[in-house]
Amino acid sequence: MTTRARSFDAAAASYAAHRPSYPPALFDAVESLTGRPLAGARVADVGAGTGIATTLLHERGAEVLAVEPGDGMAAEFRRAHPGIPIVRGDGDRLPLATGSVDLITYAQAWHWTDPARSVPEARRALRPGGALALWWNDTDATVPWIAEQEERLRVFFEVEEETHRTLPEGLGAFATRSVTWTRRITLDDHLANLASHSAFLVLGEDRTREYFAGERELLSPLFPDGIVEEQYVVSLNVAVV
C-alpha cells in the first residue's frame, strides 16, 4: 500500500495536469452535511496531493491547510499554489494541534490511511462539533462505454471487486450524498488521467504502454472528434463528531 501511495510522487506533474477536479455542488453538499459554511472554517485537507481539492476549499473562503506526505506531490503543490500553506504528514500522524480544526477532508485519500490510527487522530485534531468529510470521485458505470472500460481494467489487473471504501467506525453515523457531474477533455488527456493512477504507476512501462495502445484503439472510433465526455459520481461521506 505504501509503495502505491508514494508512486504518485514521480508523476506529480501529470497528476496535476490530468486528474479531474470537483464540481461546486460537492462543496455545497459539504456545507449542508456539516451544518456550517466553508467560509471562515479552519480546514485540514489531508492527502492533499497537488492541491486539487485544497484550492477549491480555499476559493470557498476556508482557512485551509494542506497535509501531504509525498515529496513530489508537495513540491508540485508549492509550485502551483504558493499562497496556500502546506505541511508534511499523513492521516495516521496528523501534524495538527488538538482541537485545532473545524473540518478534516480526505479527497480520494482516506483509503491510504490505517483507520486504527487515523480515526483517533481525526477525533483529536477536530474541535467539538467538528466534522470529518471523506469523498471519492469515480467514473459513472451507468454510462455504457465507461462500464466497458472499467470491466477491461478489472480483467487486466485481475481485480474481483472494490474493497477499500469501507467507512471507519468510532466516529458516529456518516451522512452521505452523491453528486454527478461531467467534463469534456481530449482522448489524450483521458488516457493520461488513467495512466496517473497508482495501479499503472507501479505496473512498469512495457505493460502500461501495451494497455494504452489497445485502449486508444478501442476508444478512437467512439470519439471520432477526439473529445471524450467523462461522467463522474462523487460519493461524499460526512461524520460530525
Side-chain angles (χ1 to χ4, degrees):
M1 181 73 82
T2 300
T3 299
R4 285 187 61 173
R6 295 302 173 84
S7 67
F8 298 116
D9 285 320
S14 179
Y15 189 106
H18 301 295
R19 282 296 181 102
S21 185
Y22 303 105
L26 170 64
F27 299 96
D28 294 340
V30 170
E31 292 181 325
S32 174
L33 296 182
T34 60
R36 66 159 296 158
L38 285 167
R42 295 166 296 168
V43 180
D45 186 33
V46 186
T50 61
I52 296 172
T54 318
T55 55
L56 296 173
L57 290 162
H58 176 75
E59 289 170 3
R60 295 287 291 235
E63 298 175 11
V64 61
L65 172 70
V67 180
E68 169 56 39
D71 294 340
M73 299 292 263
E76 180 65 24
F77 184 105
R78 290 191 180 99
R79 184 197 66 78
H81 314 295
I84 301 177
I86 181 171
V87 295
R88 305 300 297 280
D90 60 41
D92 298 340
R93 295 167 295 276
L94 288 173
L96 304 172
T98 298
S100 62
V101 292
D102 302 303
L103 175 65
I104 296 175
T105 58
Y106 282 85
Q108 308 279 105
W110 179 259
H111 53 279
W112 300 120
T113 75
D114 174 5
R117 302 169 72 181
S118 56
V119 168
E121 276 291 87
R123 293 189 68 91
R124 179 190 63 78
L126 286 167
R127 66 164 180 80
L132 175 68
L134 321 176
W135 67 80
W136 286 272
N137 197 27
D138 297 304
T139 49
D140 187 353
T142 65
V143 178
W145 75 265
I146 291 177
E148 292 167 4
Q149 183 175 76
E150 289 187 354
E151 179 60 23
R152 290 193 295 273
L153 288 165
R154 279 192 289 270
V155 171
F156 183 76
F157 286 109
E158 299 180 343
V159 174
E160 293 296 327
E161 59 181 321
E162 192 71 72
T163 59
H164 66 255
R165 301 294 177 82
T166 302
L167 296 178
E169 299 179 353
L171 289 165
F174 277 86
T176 64
R177 192 77 57 85
S178 293
V179 178
T180 301
W181 69 288
T182 63
R183 69 169 184 168
R184 289 172 56 82
I185 59 173
T186 67
L187 177 57
D188 287 344
D189 285 340
H190 170 75
L191 296 176
N193 172 35
L194 279 183
S196 75
H197 285 71
S198 61
F200 285 109
L201 295 177
V202 300
L203 181 63
E205 290 185 8
D206 290 343
R207 291 195 68 201
T208 296
R209 188 181 305 111
E210 177 184 351
Y211 179 86
F212 282 104
E215 198 66 14
R216 183 181 294 277
E217 185 175 347
L218 288 168
L219 293 179
S220 292
L222 297 180
F223 305 103
D225 61 354
I227 300 298
V228 177
E229 182 168 284
E230 298 176 334
Q231 184 156 304
Y232 290 91
V233 179
V234 187
S235 302
L236 170 65
N237 309 274
V238 173
V240 178
V241 301

